[in-house]
Amino acid sequence: MTPVACGECAAVVLCEKFSPAHTQIQWTEEAAVLPGGCPRIAAEVAAGRPSARVRSCGALSAAIEAAVLAGRLEVPADV
């Protein structure tokens, strides 16, 4: 999995692309706690929701797309 930093809060998540439409995101422990983590994930985790169940946000989606366009996150060619 490839580390990708959110362009808004700088939290780092691990990503893997399986197709242009399918992205797996694994929230790191550091991304789930403040300070320095994602405020959205931290709020969900504080409310008792597992970090793996937190949906993405627009800023993180944009950072993942930028990583794909820059070649830092690869989309398999055989899909």
Side-chain angles (χ1 to χ4, degrees):
M1 297 192 86
T2 303
V4 176
C6 177
E8 191 170 298
C9 70
V12 176
V13 298
L14 301 176
C15 296
E16 187 169 356
K17 293 291 286 182
F18 296 102
S19 73
H22 183 182
T23 305
Q24 179 177 339
I25 299 171
Q26 181 179 358
W27 300 107
T28 63
E29 192 66 34
E30 294 79 20
V33 295
L34 293 175
C38 174
R40 178 185 170 113
I41 301 169
E44 296 280 348
V45 170
R49 186 172 188 163
S51 62
R53 298 284 184 200
V54 178
R55 304 289 278 164
S56 185
C57 70
L60 180 59
S61 295
I64 292 169
E65 182 64 24
V68 169
L69 292 174
R72 294 188 316 268
L73 182 59
E74 294 186 25
V75 179
D78 60 344
V79 293

